Each structure stands twice: as structure tokens, then as C-alpha cells.
Amino acid sequence: MTIAIYPGSFDPIHNGHIEIVRRASLLFEQVIWAAYDRPLKSLLFSEQERLEFMHEAAKDLPNVQVRSYHGLTVLFARQAGAKAIVRGLRATHDFEIEYQMALTNAQQAAEIDTVCLMTGAQYAFLSSSILKEVALANGDISSMVPPYVAHKLKARLAQLGEDRGDKVKMVSLTE
Ligand code: ADP
């Protein structure tokens, strides 16, 4: 069985991520869609919440398994028996970062390859950060995320606004 993992922070998932996991599910026999439990960036959603969004998005994809993991991605991939790490490539600036990461991963686990899927044109400039900024400014995010994510995202930002009473501080969460 050819297993691939699709790792990321997914804070929260958006339609660009969902498109990649769907395409990966057509290429590999099994895809493990994996959220880093504690990435080195400030998170808006807990591990549990991020996994719930992913479960909902993958519920009609029988060969996609949703999990979280801790530590080095390649070690998780090796333990899962994966042959490939899937990453999405957006326009321009993703390449350098992904290339660097792929070479580092290859150094740690030569048997696991990185497979980059080019983002669909409609999602080429979509990121979780942009999504949060648009949501924070009350913009229309309906084309960026499924309704269940949009709903929770707006609620979370509103709750943060109430807690802090200071929109300037909230903007720093999106960096
Ligand atoms: P990370 O913290 O690893 O960058 P992200 O959650 O931001 O995690 O992204 C996870 C994966 O999804 C990465 O491979 C990233 O390139 C990809 N990705 C992010 N945005 C998009 C998009 N708009 N279209 C396709 N893939 C994307």
C-alpha cells in the first residue's frame, strides 16, 4: 500500500488545503492528513479543533485518515510507513521554503520523498494568515473556507475581540 502524509499546521484548514488532500487521495492508496500538534507559531485553534475541521472536510474520502503528531515530520512519516510527504505549492515564494524542507527531510530519511502538488489557480494566493486577516476585517470568506470553518473562525475572532477589547493586538495573531 502506498501511503503518503500531508502535514501542516492547518490553523484552520481552508479550501486550498482541502483541494490538495482530495488530489492526494486520488494519487495514493492511503493519505494521512496530519496536523502538527504544537507548531512554532501562535495558533487560533486548538489541536482538537483543527482536527475536527479536518475530519469534517475528509468525511467523504475513505482513504484519508486524520491524525495529529509531535516531533519531526519525517519520523512520523517513517513510523506511519509513508513513502511520500505531500505539500502544496502556491505561486512563487513557497518553492524555496519547500525545497529547503524537502532536502532537509531527505537528509533525515532518504527513503521518504516529497511530492509537491501545484495549487489550483483559484487558491494560489490563499493562506491561513490571509484568511484570518480578511475574517478579522469582516470581509467575505465564503469562497475561502467551508461554512463550518467560517462560522467558528468568526466566532473565535469575535470572542478574542471581546476578551481583549483591542483590535491591534488581534492583528498580531495573524502574523
Ligand atoms: P505549514 O505550517 O506547514 O506551512 P500550513 O497549514 O500553512 O502549514 O500549510 C500546509 C500545507 O498546505 C503546505 O504544504 C502548504 O504549502 C499547503 N498550502 C497552504 N496554502 C495552500 C493553498 N492555498 N493551496 C494549496 N496548498 C496550500
Side-chain angles (χ1 to χ4, degrees):
M1 164 135 33
T2 317
I3 302 172
I5 68 160
Y6 175 37
S9 312
F10 306 116
D11 182 48
I13 55 161
H14 53 60
N15 291 340
H17 297 134
I18 297 172
E19 197 216 17
I20 295 292
V21 81
R22 285 185 176 276
R23 284 164 54 197
S25 76
L26 299 174
L27 295 173
F28 297 95
E29 284 169 282
Q30 194 185 357
V31 176
I32 300 173
W33 192 7
Y36 306 128
D37 61 350
R38 288 189 296 267
L40 281 176
K41 46 180 155 181
S42 47
L43 292 172
L44 202 50
F45 292 100
S46 68
E47 178 184 342
Q48 191 54 37
E49 288 169 320
R50 287 178 288 136
L51 290 176
E52 279 169 18
F53 292 145
M54 291 157 70
H55 271 295
E56 185 63 29
K59 69 180 181 199
D60 62 336
L61 302 173
N63 63 335
V64 173
Q65 196 186 96
V66 169
R67 288 173 62 180
S68 65
Y69 73 99
H70 180 71
L72 265 188
T73 302
V74 276
L75 294 186
F76 172 69
R78 183 182 277 157
Q79 278 158 11
K83 286 210 169 86
I85 295 175
V86 170
R87 300 285 290 173
L89 265 195
R90 282 165 297 194
T92 63
H93 71 280
D94 273 350
F95 178 76
E96 273 185 38
I97 298 164
E98 294 299 337
Y99 191 46
Q100 192 179 28
M101 214 181 312
L103 292 183
T104 308
N105 285 341
Q107 207 174 41
Q108 303 283 325
E111 79 279 13
I112 299 169
D113 225 325
T114 297
V115 175
C116 288
L117 298 181
M118 309 303 152
T119 304
Q122 69 275 41
Y123 305 127
F125 297 99
L126 177 56
S127 68
S128 297
S129 309
I130 290 283
L131 164 68
K132 288 178 218 171
E133 282 196 41
V134 175
L136 186 61
N138 275 324
D140 179 6
I141 56 168
S142 59
S143 64
M144 301 180 183
V145 286
Y148 49 89
V149 176
H151 178 73
K152 284 256 172 86
L153 180 55
K154 284 181 194 161
R156 178 59 42 89
L157 291 172
Q159 182 193 336
L160 277 179
E162 277 171 27
D163 290 351
R164 298 179 180 217
D166 178 356
K167 286 198 173 184
V168 176
K169 278 189 192 162
M170 284 167 61
V171 169
S172 71
L173 275 170
T174 67
E175 285 167 0

